[in-house]
Amino acid sequence: MRRTVLILPMVSAALIALAPAPARVQSRPGPVAAAVASPLRTPANVARDRYRHPAETLAFFGVRPTDTVVEIWPSGGWYAEILAPLLRDRGAYYAATPLPDGAKGIAALQARDATAFGKIRTAAFPVQPGQMGVPDGVADKVLTFRNVHNWRFGGADRAQAAFDAMFHMLKPGGTLGVVEHRLPETRDATAEEKSGYMKESSVIAFATKAGFRLAGRSAVNANPKDTADWPAGVWTLPPSYRLKDVDRAKYAAIGESDRMTLRFVKPK
């Protein structure tokens, strides 16, 4: 018995030495990363990835190529350049925007490349009489990037109505993803009406009142250089540069705004 115990480790070592080395597997980028790296995107938009982190942001929101995704107020189509091709074959992409003027950016994308962007579905948001909005319960994901302040701006609080409408768009268990310019919690809340920044607690309160549950926070779009107290609000910073050449180098060094990135879930 003692001899057997001594021999077995030697045999095992020999077998391990003779075993072929495992083949090295080539890793491929996931579908979201591939869409972000696509040559369909314009260079000016790609240049802003260092501030907006689209691959990491969409991964945090759990976006998949089989999803039905609604983007609220896509404007010029910065995220539409990524989302529409990603969802074209196996999912669906809705651009929900004020009609007709809010759809001009989407129309420009479709005119540029009908194959990549021709399947975009345009819907009214908010919905006016005679307009078609996003159907209730159709979306796996609803995403809104830097828009909540627009619904709070100027003292006309349309934010709650917007969150209520987004709640209805989603399937039970669906995700609402919000990226927004962040106002420090210690500031006076009246700054939300004019600065372009929102408190994270305010956004969470709107979503919670609509029926959502906060499911996660990410620091992927945080920028500690942004103190959120600029003379022309968030538009002082790039890409707006509202002060034009005044202290432009200073604001360029700060970069785009500090942003909250929040994931909410519609309960099943």
Side-chain angles (χ1 to χ4, degrees):
M1 291 295 293
R2 186 173 298 170
R3 181 174 298 182
T4 303
V5 172
L6 292 172
I7 292 172
L8 283 175
M10 296 172 62
V11 173
S12 298
L15 290 173
I16 292 171
L18 293 173
R24 186 169 294 178
V25 178
Q26 289 279 6
S27 62
R28 295 181 180 179
V32 170
V36 170
S38 169
L40 290 168
R41 300 183 65 209
T42 57
N45 286 347
V46 173
R48 295 169 75 179
D49 285 0
R50 64 189 179 121
Y51 302 120
R52 298 188 171 185
H53 312 100
E56 297 88 344
T57 300
L58 294 177
F60 176 67
F61 293 149
V63 173
R64 299 170 298 182
T66 53
D67 283 340
T68 293
V69 176
V70 178
E71 184 183 358
I72 305 296
W73 288 17
S75 188
W78 197 92
Y79 261 101
E81 275 193 340
I82 299 168
L83 290 168
L86 172 69
L87 303 165
R88 179 187 60 197
D89 296 329
R90 295 190 289 155
Y93 171 72
Y94 283 85
T97 188
L99 297 179
D101 291 344
K104 290 180 179 178
I106 296 300
L109 285 180
Q110 292 175 323
R112 191 180 91 200
D113 191 327
T115 301
F117 305 110
K119 290 186 177 181
I120 295 175
R121 306 178 190 187
T122 303
F125 187 88
V127 180
Q128 303 297 334
Q131 295 179 339
M132 293 294 294
V134 177
D136 287 354
V138 73
D140 298 291
K141 309 289 189 303
V142 174
L143 309 178
T144 184
F145 302 98
R146 306 171 312 281
N147 285 315
V148 181
H149 65 278
N150 291 308
W151 307 326
R152 182 78 176 84
F153 197 74
D157 195 348
R158 299 178 294 272
Q160 191 60 58
F163 277 87
D164 292 346
M166 293 187 290
F167 185 85
H168 289 297
M169 293 175 190
L170 280 163
K171 300 173 183 176
T175 295
L176 169 66
V178 179
V179 176
E180 180 56 277
H181 312 294
R182 179 165 35 210
L183 184 71
E185 292 292 329
T186 55
R187 300 282 175 80
D188 191 326
T190 58
E192 294 178 341
E193 300 179 5
K194 57 187 178 181
S195 68
Y197 291 92
M198 293 288 301
K199 290 187 179 184
E200 195 166 306
S201 60
S202 296
V203 174
I204 293 171
F206 287 127
T208 302
K209 187 175 179 180
F212 289 104
R213 176 178 61 83
L214 179 64
R217 293 178 169 97
S218 173
V220 66
N221 294 304
N223 179 2
K225 295 180 182 179
D226 177 17
T227 54
D229 57 356
W230 312 115
V234 73
W235 304 279
T236 306
L237 300 177
S240 298
Y241 290 114
R242 187 161 289 182
L243 300 182
K244 300 189 184 298
D245 291 333
V246 176
D247 291 328
R248 190 180 182 95
K250 167 187 171 181
Y251 298 126
I254 292 167
E256 294 193 13
S257 67
D258 175 47
R259 293 163 186 166
M260 66 185 87
T261 304
L262 305 176
R263 185 176 69 244
F264 299 93
V265 172
K266 178 176 180 175
K268 292 184 178 180

